[in-house]
Amino acid sequence: MPQVCYYVYAYASLLREERIAEGEKINVVVPTGNFGNILAAFYAKNMGLPIAKLICASNENKVLYDFFRTGTYDRNREFVLTSSPSMDILISSNLERLIYRIAGNNPDRNREMMASLSESGKYEIDDEMKKELADFYGNYASEQQTAEEISRLYNNCGYVLDTHTAVASAVYRKYVDETGDRTKTVIASTASPFKFTRSVMNAIDKKYDSMGDFELVDELSRLANVRVPNAIEEIRTAPVLHDRQCDIDEMKSVVKQFLGME
């Protein structure tokens, strides 16, 4: 629910900057694995915010993409570790809330499909429910496409994307190519490139892979013309407080020592 304000704020900002007229519809692109952030955009739309298309961007764990294309949610697949780890999810828990809505707010129907997901790893919506998804569009970006989008945007305008936002940007370009829809669009940027520095910098140029972690942070700051976040700066000189190591069979005893029980 708190994320609803993101889209109200974005729309108000576009109005203030005179990029759109009052009441003009916009599209929204959200990179998501758990479906929470884009569900907030859906709620904002239902509250009256002029949103046209809700574009759901997935990485290679593209269970949501397949759902929007086929109407079948199926988590029975290989789990892929990607450079956008917050989206590495095969059970999108917040999708249950959308299913409830498109099932006519029917708790029994919703419970039936969630039970199917739990028992068999999949469920399928009917044609009537599919019609309720007309405002959604799903697509995905591969690891290569994600890296290429980071590089493309940096080389075109100097803006440095994080890996998650790069997924959204790549999916948005696919959406435009597929539909020709040029409606003004907001891409939700959901992370900082400083959180995924090595992946981001390698996407810009492979030469950076030879650099150390803090060297990369400083180089990213220079390229993006953005200050290094304080949380990262503090790590440079932070003392090492916890360096105790133990074998698995020692864990119980070590925890007791931490708690002063031995």
Side-chain angles (χ1 to χ4, degrees), residues 9-35:
Y9 174 81
Y11 193 86
S13 296
L14 290 172
L15 274 177
R16 184 180 62 249
E17 296 167 8
E18 299 183 344
R19 298 191 182 198
I20 58 172
E22 185 174 350
E24 180 180 349
K25 288 190 175 183
I26 63 170
N27 291 337
V28 169
V29 190
V30 187
T32 184
N34 209 34
F35 206 74

Side-chain angles (χ1 to χ4, degrees), residues 215-253:
E215 286 181 292
L216 281 175
V217 165
D218 291 334
E219 186 65 8
L220 172 57
S221 175
R222 186 188 68 80
L223 291 181
N225 196 28
V226 175
R227 287 182 58 188
V228 177
N230 288 335
I232 294 178
E233 284 290 2
E234 290 170 357
I235 295 174
R236 293 183 197 264
T237 56
V240 176
L241 300 179
H242 305 286
D243 59 0
R244 178 75 177 271
Q245 299 181 36
C246 69
D247 293 329
I248 292 175
D249 58 0
E250 299 175 311
M251 289 175 66
K252 185 175 180 179
S253 174

Side-chain angles (χ1 to χ4, degrees), residues 9-247:
Y9 174 81
Y11 193 86
S13 296
L14 290 172
L15 274 177
R16 184 180 62 249
E17 296 167 8
E18 299 183 344
R19 298 191 182 198
I20 58 172
E22 185 174 350
E24 180 180 349
K25 288 190 175 183
I26 63 170
N27 291 337
V28 169
V29 190
V30 187
T32 184
N34 209 34
F35 206 74
N37 204 334
I38 196 166
L39 184 70
F42 173 74
Y43 286 157
K45 176 182 174 70
N46 279 265
M47 292 166 66
L49 197 67
I51 294 175
K53 211 71 174 178
L54 296 152
I55 301 169
C56 179
S58 302
N59 63 15
E60 289 188 9
N61 293 294
K62 56 186 183 68
V63 64
L64 287 169
Y65 162 73
D66 292 336
F67 169 72
F68 283 115
R69 290 295 168 117
T70 67
T72 298
Y73 191 96
D74 189 352
R75 66 171 173 81
N76 300 307
R77 62 184 68 208
E78 180 185 1
F79 178 74
V80 183
L81 293 174
T82 74
S83 60
S84 48
S86 296
M87 300 163 65
D88 290 346
I89 294 171
L90 293 183
I91 299 180
S92 305
S93 60
N94 282 291
L95 186 62
E96 178 180 353
R97 295 179 166 93
L98 178 66
I99 296 299
Y100 174 75
R101 288 293 302 275
I102 66 175
N105 299 334
N106 184 330
D108 294 328
R109 181 76 176 106
N110 196 73
R111 192 178 300 113
E112 177 186 317
M113 284 185 280
M114 293 307 109
S116 177
L117 178 65
S118 178
E119 293 164 7
S120 67
K122 63 181 180 180
Y123 60 83
E124 185 174 358
I125 62 174
D126 58 34
D127 289 340
E128 288 301 311
M129 294 172 70
K130 288 178 185 177
K131 291 177 184 178
E132 297 296 318
L133 297 177
D135 290 339
F136 283 91
Y137 168 91
N139 214 316
Y140 77 101
S142 68
E143 283 290 273
Q144 181 178 344
Q145 290 167 341
T146 300
E148 287 173 352
E149 189 66 8
I150 293 171
S151 175
R152 184 190 71 84
L153 205 62
Y154 173 71
N155 289 323
N156 283 355
C157 64
Y159 186 84
V160 180
L161 293 165
D162 74 278
T163 48
H164 301 71
T165 310
V167 168
S169 184
V171 165
Y172 172 64
R173 295 204 301 124
K174 288 185 177 184
Y175 170 76
V176 172
D177 289 343
E178 187 176 314
T179 67
D181 182 8
R182 295 285 178 176
T183 300
K184 292 187 178 71
T185 299
V186 168
I187 295 176
S189 182
T190 56
S192 164
F194 287 98
K195 198 172 181 180
F196 309 96
T197 308
R198 189 165 295 279
S199 294
V200 169
M201 295 300 284
N202 281 349
I204 293 173
D205 196 317
K206 294 294 185 185
K207 70 180 183 182
Y208 293 120
D209 196 43
S210 62
M211 298 176 72
D213 289 339
F214 284 112
E215 286 181 292
L216 281 175
V217 165
D218 291 334
E219 186 65 8
L220 172 57
S221 175
R222 186 188 68 80
L223 291 181
N225 196 28
V226 175
R227 287 182 58 188
V228 177
N230 288 335
I232 294 178
E233 284 290 2
E234 290 170 357
I235 295 174
R236 293 183 197 264
T237 56
V240 176
L241 300 179
H242 305 286
D243 59 0
R244 178 75 177 271
Q245 299 181 36
C246 69
D247 293 329

